Every structure is written in structure tokens, then in C-alpha cells.
Amino acid sequence: ADAGRTAAVADGLPTELHLNWTIELPPLEPAWPNQPQLQFDVGYQPIVAGGRMFVASSANDSVTAIDLKTGREIWKFFAEGPIRFAPVASDGKVFFSCDDGHLYCLQASSGKLIWKFRGAPMDRKIIGNRRVISAWPARGAPVIKDGTVYFAASIWPFMGTFIYAVDANSGKIVWKNSGTGSLYLLQPHDSFAFGGVTPQGYLAISGDSLIVPNGRSAPACFDAATGEFKYFHLGENKRRGNYAVAVSQNYFFNTRTVYDTATGDSSFSLPTSDLPILADATVYCGGSQLSAYDLKTSAVKTERDRKGRNIARLSLNRKWEVDGAYRLWLKAGNRLYGSQTGKIAAFELDVQTGKPTLVWEKDFPGEVCSMIAADDCLVVSTVEGTIHCFSAESVAQPVTYKKTVAKSSSVQNPAQKSDQESVQQLISQFDITQGYCLAFGLNDGHQLAELARQTELQIVGVDADAKKVSQIRTQLDALSLYGQRISIFVNDPVQFNVSPYLASMIISEKLGDSGIGQGVPFVRRVFHALRPYGGIAVFNTTDEQHDQLEAAILKAKLPKAEVSRSGKMTILKRVGALPGSGDWTHQYADVANTAVSKDRLVKAPLGILWFGGSTNETILPRHGHGPSEQVIGGRLFIEGVDSMRAMDVYTGRILWETPLPGIGKYYNNTSHQPGANSLGSNYATTDDGVYIAYGNKGLRLDPETGKILAEFRLPADESSQAPEWGYIGVWKNLLIVGSSPIKEEGKKPGEFTQDGTTSKRIVVMDRYSGKVLWKKDAELGFRHNAIVLG
């Protein structure tokens, strides 16, 4: 509602509200799907100003203006990355931050760009949450007050974080704070270390305090006038924090915690983790019950905690509490508005007691994620992607606007037959249908749309012509392909500063606009972006262009580059591994337990190559200390709770996930056990097999597909049964197995105090056929992590 995020407005809504229109938009994919404290982009968060509703989208990287009375679209503006937070509006302008690292200012009436300010220190692109975005995404969502817009860029302290105050009219810097990315401060578990502010959430202002949410960590505070850093109590507020804050004069609220704005001290918890409503010195809370607290009579007392520290304890007096399991979203006039599953409701506040009374309740489809009041309208947004507008006007038939995304394969693409044939040739000849594709130099976007229609590639186009790019974006958006499937950047392709090793394929719709005329700089930029292990660039060239490209490639001295000619196509391929790179195939680097990588490329300073993009729900918890990740052939292998997963180590894309019930059983706990550091790893990798000790059998998985290629059994032991597998290692063509791990019985039947750190015998097999070559029993036992080969 305002700069304090209080969710309260003075003007009331009509007593009777009727549905006027509904817009059906594509559901959004959150950046962090498994982080409850970071669900800032789970659904659309509209705002209203001047009779227009403004809706930002991370699905198609746009802000859309909609007539509030009719639901009709007025204009749409495309940015160069996902827009994950609600915009703000003031004085006929709309402001929003974007994952491309910029703050935008648009004219509210037309959508025309007034100015654009880059919060990132440079224009460098990486893969973040599966999209090509700035290495310093602007996820400190803007707040505006007294003609100044505040926002923040970067979520990685070690790469620098940047908090700004910008003049709303000119876009010029009022102040900048870039000094909080490396603070020596108290961390959780009461230890000091270097860390920093990680802006991720909706900034808020109260008085001279700018509150900056830090995702899952506690918020930080800056002086709104000067940008001076005030406090960031990370260590004292372990596990506290989310993306949203609400600010009153003396206190701010984040998750269920109440903080003293002046000091950042926290001691009082609200009964719900939902953001409260702040109005008239009262805190309104929903949840299992409705309640209200009085800020006027609040008091702070100093007490000593169990460690002997002086702690400020806040006491809030509860005004009332009534039954009613609703989430409260806003206060308009003298009414509270809330929701529960399948319903929305309004509560009238008694003038004398302040207690709420349910005055109306409506059936409502979907899970509410936003509710706002403006211009006598109630606007309700859902996780499913719908936006509903209610007003006093009763219409015979509410209008529904459908803007959902169709499946790519069903898109009717206006591509010419030549484009369709060109794409079919690419697919049939190179069989690259997944991963990232770069397109340097665009024509009309039809070939990109056809490539999206026939493959699962995520396509990134680059062209220097802003007008052309604008037209292609609009066309692709009409085909429901823009954003998550195809995104386009305005840039000279040769200057496009994208992270290395990203592209499985690089093409061009219009070679003349690709930068090919720049020769060596062009081929270096193309090769820089190609993925090792077979990334290809394919260009339709004349004989003269081919000769020029081949000469430039030779002159550039690109390592492991292979250039060839096929018909009218010039093909540049990055063959094999990066020169100087190394593998990590066992728990401690290799079967010799050296814990030493042979990689000569990894050296300081380090930066982010990619982050996010896959669920972590199936990954083992860190406190269980499961087996280390392993890397070979450009693939990253990770053990899960009930599965094995392979990812593209260069982009973070999941290649496959094979269900293996119980595989991570021993490591699936949070008891700070030694885990694989004691037990040893239960898998090892080679370029042609992932070998897994899986109960009483061994498995060999295909590293490319995850399919089970072979199953091995150990020779029967004294019990005449197939023994359990303990240790596993690979050396050349041999598979080394620890057979019959020794376990100590626990206090309860079937419970073990140790999970088999030692095996009774060593068995050596041919790793392809499973034929046993030799075996040896131990006098006492073979400790798994002490078995060394070479």
C-alpha cells in the first residue's frame, strides 16, 4: 500500500462487492520453489495508480498496464530479464527492479521508458534460476518516498552488494552503499566471520530508516537520507527472515518477529508468520485466530539471557483475539479483508471495542497470493495465475481475459517453409534438442519460434537493433513463447558479456547482424560461450564467409576448436574437455584418496557461473554428510534421498534423475553425524559408468541417461546369501568392492550404532562383466576410507 508496506488505506471499499472481470495469466515459476521464506514471485502482485493496474511478470519479463474498470490491456513493456517483484508508482511514473540488474522508470500513461539505471557494477550475464540474467540481479524491490526511489542489486555478498537511493525524476544517484558485502560479523552458531547484506525482498521505509530484507536472514537497516549502514544482526537472529517487511514508527515486522527499528533488537513473536497489517498504532494478525496488538502501550525491558548478555525484551499488549482461521491481507477504512481455502471475506471493526465481525464471505477459486484495495475496487490475485477485480457495480456477465501459455509444440508459428526446413536439418544432423541455444543476429524471430516449437531448447537471442528486438518480442509473446522459452537482448553480439560454456548450440537468423565481420573478436565470443564436450556453432555461410571464419578461427588459436564445412553450413565445435580441467570421481577426488584435484583452471578470484534452477527437495541434508558430489565428462553427479541425479556442471541443468529407493538412507538425517566421512561413499564415477553400492547388489548407470546398464552380485558369504556392498571404487577396468560391512547392534532390535565403516573382505571384479577376479578376507576388517589404489 505504501512505503511502510502497512497494507492499510484510509478509504473504505463499497459494502457490496461484485466480480467485474478476471484475467487468466500463465502461472509463475518461483525462483526458489522449495524455500518457503522466499516465495516473493509465487504469483502476480499488482499495484494500482491513476485508474490503471500495473502487473509485473517473471514469465514473460514484462510490466503490463491494465484499465482497472474494464480489465483491458493498455500497454506492455518488456525488460531484459524476469521481473519478480511488484512495481511502485508515483507522480505519473512506474518504477520496477529486474533480474537484469536495472531499475526502470516508465511513463504510467504510455509505458514509454523515461530512464533506466544499472545497479550492477558491470553488464555481465550468467544463468540464475534457469534464466540468463545479470550476475547482480536487482532483487531489492524498490520503495519510493519524497521523490526518491530506493532499491538494491546483487544477492551474493562476496561479489559485492549495492544499495541505492535514486532521484525519481532524473534517475541520478542520491547515494550509494556498496560497503556491506564484506562485513566481519557474528554468524549463526555464535562465530564471527566475513559475510554481508544479501538484499532479496521488498524494501520499506519508516522515518529515517530504510529496512532491507535479506531473504531467509534477518533484515538490515540503513539511514534513508545518507545510506549509512546501521545494523545487520545476522548471528542473533538465526533462521529468522523472509522477503517481506512491514514498518511502523518504532517497530518493523518480518516473519513472526517484531524488531525495534532504532536498534534491530528482537524479542517478541507474533502468533503468525504472515505479514501483519499496521494501522492506527495497531497490529492486526490473521492465522489460526484473528488478533490485534496495541503499539501505543508497548514497552521494552532489559533482561539478562542465559549467556549473561543484556537483552531488550519487547512487550506488546493484545487488544483482542477472536476465532476465525483467515489470512488477513489488508485494511480498507474500517474493514479487514482476508482469505481462507476457497473463500474471501470482509470483517467490520467495532467502533467501540475494535473487534472484528464477519460481514460477508464469498466462494473463491484458487489460492490467494495478493489482495489490494484501490479506486473502490478489490483486486485479488492467485497462485494459479488469475487476477480478479471486484467493485460495487454488478455486471450480468463478468469478462474473462485468457492469456495462458500454450504448449510449444501446438504453437501456430508463422515461419516460412525455409525456416522450418532449416530447423529440421539442425535437429536431424546434430540432435541437440535440450540445453541453451544462443542466436547471434536476428531476422524476424520465426526461426527461433520454430526451434522452440520442435525442441526443448531455451533460446537466447542477441541483436543490436532495438526496434527489431521490440517487434520480435511482441510477436513471440503473442505466440506465448517469450520469456521462459525465448528471451532477447539488445546488444552487439560480440559485446554480449555472457558467462562461458553456456551454449549447447549457437546459430544466427541473420549472419550479417551477428558480428561476423569483426573476425577474431566474433569467433572468440562464440567459442567463449560454447559448452565443452561438443557445443557447436552452426552458421549458413557463403564460401567466402566460410573462408573468413576458418581463417579467423585459426588466427584466434582457440584450444580444442574444430571447424568443418557441411553443405552451406560452417560448423565450429568445442571438442572434449577444457584443457587443464580435472575430474572428481570418488569421495576424496580419486580412488587413491588424495583429496587433490588435478584441475589447473580453478583459481582465485572466483565468481558465480550459475545458481538455482532445480529443486533441492530430493537432495540429502548437509548435516547428514552424504557422499561428496562427483564430476566427470562435464556432468555433476549428486546423490539424493531416494535417487541419483546428473546435472550439466556448466549450466546447472538437470540431465536425469534415476529413482533408487533408499540409496541415501544412511545420510538422510540432520544429527551432525560424520556420514560418508566415516562410512565412505556408496558410489564412484567414470566417463562410461556410475557405479553404486546398493544394498546387496552393485549397479552401473549410464552417465548420459541414468539408465541401469548392469547389475552385479558378490560371491555368497558364510550365510549363503548375497552379501551387502560396503566400499566401492574404480581403477582402470577394475571394480573394487568392500563386501559384508561390519555393523554393531544397537539398543533396539534392527538398530545399528555404526553404519558399516569397515568390510570383512575385498572383492575385485571386471567393471564391465562383473566377473570376480580375486577376493581377500581381512583378519579384522578393511576400513573403507583407508582403502587406497594406485
Side-chain angles (χ1 to χ4, degrees):
D2 50 32
R5 313 284 183 183
T6 63
V9 290
D11 294 334
L13 290 175
T15 304
E16 291 293 327
L17 291 171
H18 306 277
L19 179 64
N20 288 172
W21 52 258
T22 297
I23 300 175
E24 296 180 1
L25 297 169
L28 299 179
E29 294 184 12
W32 309 106
N34 307 125
Q35 298 294 333
Q37 294 153 286
L38 292 175
Q39 297 300 289
F40 45 76
D41 53 352
V42 70
Y44 297 93
Q45 301 284 338
I47 66 167
V48 171
R52 293 179 175 88
M53 182 176 75
F54 303 97
V55 183
S57 171
S58 60
N60 64 359
D61 308 350
S62 72
V63 170
T64 303
I66 294 168
D67 184 278
L68 186 61
K69 296 301 180 185
T70 65
R72 294 183 183 276
E73 183 179 308
I74 301 172
W75 54 256
K76 181 180 290 185
F77 178 91
F78 293 99
E80 293 203 327
I83 307 167
R84 301 191 180 276
F85 294 88
V88 295
S90 178
D91 295 329
K93 302 180 185 70
V94 178
F95 307 85
F96 65 90
S97 60
C98 179
D99 269 8
D100 65 11
H102 289 80
L103 176 70
Y104 289 78
C105 174
L106 308 181
Q107 191 176 72
S109 59
S110 65
K112 179 182 177 182
L113 179 65
I114 299 174
W115 53 258
K116 177 180 173 181
F117 177 84
R118 191 182 74 204
M122 61 187 294
D123 190 16
R124 177 184 165 213
K125 309 293 184 189
I126 63 171
I127 297 174
N129 305 116
R130 296 200 310 121
R131 297 294 305 279
V132 174
I133 64 172
S134 171
W136 300 268
R139 293 189 182 172
V143 61
I144 186 168
K145 187 175 183 182
D146 300 331
T148 302
V149 187
Y150 305 83
F151 85 109
S154 179
I155 59 174
W156 306 109
F158 81 98
M159 291 180 64
T161 51
F162 307 89
I163 300 157
Y164 293 94
V166 178
D167 182 81
N169 290 320
S170 66
K172 293 182 179 180
I173 295 176
V174 176
W175 56 254
K176 168 185 173 181
N177 187 316
S178 58
T180 59
S182 185
L183 302 171
Y184 192 68
L185 74 170
L186 185 67
Q187 304 281 339
H189 301 295
D190 293 328
S191 62
F192 278 87
F194 283 100
V197 175
T198 58
Q200 197 161 200
Y202 286 101
L203 275 60
I205 291 180
S206 177
D208 62 355
S209 295
L210 173 68
I211 308 299
V212 178
N214 280 264
R216 300 190 309 171
S217 302
C221 183
F222 296 80
D223 188 293
T226 66
E228 181 183 355
F229 172 67
K230 290 186 174 182
Y231 56 78
F232 175 40
H233 300 314
L234 175 61
E236 297 90 329
N237 296 295
K238 180 184 175 184
R239 298 193 189 95
R240 294 178 180 174
N242 71 5
Y243 66 90
V245 294
V247 187
S248 70
Q249 186 65 34
N250 299 316
Y251 304 101
F252 69 88
F253 303 78
N254 181 251
T255 60
R256 60 178 68 245
T257 308
V258 185
Y259 295 86
D260 184 294
T261 306
T263 64
D265 292 337
S266 62
S267 59
F268 189 85
S269 293
L270 296 174
T272 175
S273 59
D274 298 331
L275 206 62
I277 299 166
L278 307 179
D280 304 322
T282 302
V283 182
Y284 297 95
C285 299
S288 57
Q289 291 182 310
L290 305 183
S291 56
Y293 296 83
D294 188 0
L295 286 176
K296 289 181 180 178
T297 59
S298 63
V300 177
K301 298 178 181 179
T302 301
E303 300 176 2
R304 297 181 80 81
D305 69 358
R306 60 185 178 85
K307 295 184 179 181
R309 297 173 300 189
N310 289 328
I311 300 296
R313 300 290 184 188
L314 172 67
S315 173
L316 285 182
N317 292 324
R318 190 167 59 202
K319 298 174 71 172
W320 49 258
E321 184 177 74
V322 299
D323 292 335
Y326 290 85
R327 175 166 183 174
L328 294 181
W329 293 98
L330 66 96
K331 179 177 182 289
N334 201 38
R335 286 190 174 186
L336 301 174
Y337 294 82
S339 66
Q340 60 178 210
T341 303
K343 295 182 184 297
I344 58 174
F347 299 86
E348 186 84 24
L349 296 174
D350 185 270
V351 177
Q352 300 297 325
T353 65
K355 289 187 176 182
T357 301
L358 181 67
V359 290
W360 61 256
E361 192 175 56
K362 297 179 182 293
D363 291 337
F364 185 80
E367 180 183 350
V368 176
C369 67
S370 168
M371 190 181 290
I372 67 173
D375 291 349
D376 286 338
C377 294
L378 180 70
V379 178
V380 185
S381 177
T382 71
V383 171
E384 291 77 13
T386 59
I387 302 177
H388 309 258
C389 181
F390 298 83
S391 77
E393 182 182 357
S394 179
V395 296
Q397 186 64 43
V399 181
T400 299
Y401 303 91
K402 294 189 177 182
K403 301 175 187 272
T404 54
V405 172
K407 290 185 178 179
S408 299
S409 58
S410 65
V411 169
Q412 297 298 313
N413 180 28
Q416 300 296 317
K417 187 176 181 181
S418 59
D419 290 323
Q420 296 174 355
E421 291 174 349
S422 177
V423 169
Q424 288 168 1
Q425 184 181 4
L426 282 173
I427 296 171
S428 62
Q429 186 164 344
F430 302 107
D431 193 30
I432 297 177
T433 58
Q434 295 183 329
Y436 291 84
C437 173
L438 289 178
F440 286 170
L442 305 179
N443 183 32
D444 53 17
H446 290 171
Q447 189 175 351
L448 305 190
E450 186 64 22
L451 196 61
R453 196 180 72 82
Q454 294 193 39
T455 72
E456 295 180 26
L457 286 164
Q458 190 166 330
I459 303 160
V460 178
V462 187
D463 196 285
D465 188 333
K467 184 176 180 181
K468 184 204 300 185
V469 167
S470 178
Q471 293 172 344
I472 295 175
R473 283 172 175 165
T474 301
Q475 293 168 5
L476 292 173
D477 186 53
L479 295 172
S480 300
L481 290 175
Y482 193 72
Q484 294 175 344
R485 285 305 313 277
I486 306 174
S487 55
I488 303 180
F489 294 85
V490 179
N491 208 324
D492 176 353
V494 177
Q495 302 299 319
F496 188 57
N497 190 5
V498 71
S499 58
Y501 324 135
L502 175 145
S504 297
M505 179 187 289
I506 297 177
I507 63 171
S508 177
E509 276 195 333
K510 190 175 181 181
L511 196 57
D513 292 346
S514 69
I516 186 175
Q518 298 183 48
V520 171
F522 171 73
V523 298
R524 281 180 174 161
R525 174 56 59 192
V526 169
F527 196 71
H528 169 87
L530 281 180
R531 187 188 183 279
Y533 300 98
I536 61 167
V538 184
F539 303 119
N540 289 321
T541 57
T542 63
D543 291 340
E544 182 181 2
Q545 288 173 324
H546 171 77
D547 292 341
Q548 291 172 349
L549 269 178
E550 190 171 36
I553 291 166
L554 291 172
K555 188 176 180 181
K557 297 180 180 179
L558 306 174
K560 290 197 173 185
E562 185 180 274
V563 63
S564 60
R565 182 82 161 145
S566 175
K568 295 182 178 180
M569 293 187 297
T570 296
I571 303 163
L572 172 61
K573 188 174 184 178
R574 190 192 275 268
V575 181
L578 290 171
S581 64
D583 302 323
W584 192 283
T585 60
H586 289 69
Q587 172 71 7
Y588 297 110
D590 49 37
V591 74
N593 276 7
T594 64
V596 175
S597 170
K598 294 181 174 65
D599 196 301
R600 302 192 305 273
L601 301 180
V602 177
K603 59 187 70 174
L606 300 175
I608 297 289
L609 183 68
W610 57 264
F611 67 86
S614 62
T615 175
N616 68 343
E617 284 190 325
T618 58
I619 301 303
L620 293 167
R622 63 188 176 91
H623 289 150
H625 291 164
S628 66
E629 302 86 351
Q630 297 175 17
V631 176
I632 188 169
R635 301 183 184 98
L636 169 69
F637 300 94
I638 305 178
E639 181 174 332
V641 176
D642 293 300
S643 65
M644 283 295 298
R645 171 189 290 184
M647 301 174 72
D648 179 352
V649 75
Y650 296 109
T651 65
R653 183 172 61 91
I654 294 180
L655 303 175
W656 52 260
E657 195 162 68
T658 298
L660 295 172
I663 186 176
K665 173 185 175 183
Y666 292 132
Y667 316 107
N668 186 25
N669 65 73
T670 58
S671 62
H672 293 274
Q673 65 175 12
N677 300 315
S678 175
L679 174 66
S681 177
N682 57 359
Y683 78 105
T685 56
T686 68
D687 57 1
D688 61 358
V690 181
Y691 291 86
I692 302 172
Y694 189 48
N696 63 352
K697 59 187 175 183
L699 303 177
R700 178 185 169 214
L701 272 56
D702 185 337
E704 184 176 353
T705 65
K707 293 181 179 178
I708 297 176
L709 299 177
E711 186 175 306
F712 309 121
R713 299 277 179 172
L714 291 169
D717 59 13
E718 57 273 9
S719 67
S720 300
Q721 296 179 347
E724 187 177 344
W725 291 49
Y727 169 84
I728 189 166
V730 178
W731 185 72
K732 296 185 178 180
N733 290 335
L734 303 181
L735 181 63
I736 300 90
V737 183
S739 174
S740 305
I742 301 167
K743 299 182 179 181
E744 295 182 10
E745 287 290 343
K747 296 178 180 179
K748 299 178 181 178
E751 179 187 65
F752 298 106
T753 58
Q754 294 184 12
D755 291 327
T757 63
T758 305
S759 286
K760 293 180 179 179
R761 70 178 57 86
I762 290 290
V763 180
V764 175
M765 302 174 167
D766 180 287
R767 72 180 180 94
Y768 294 106
S769 67
K771 179 183 177 181
V772 175
L773 304 178
W774 59 266
K775 58 183 178 179
K776 182 173 180 62
D777 289 348
E779 290 186 19
L780 298 175
F782 292 111
R783 183 64 182 257
H784 297 159
N785 280 341
I787 300 172
V788 178
L789 283 83

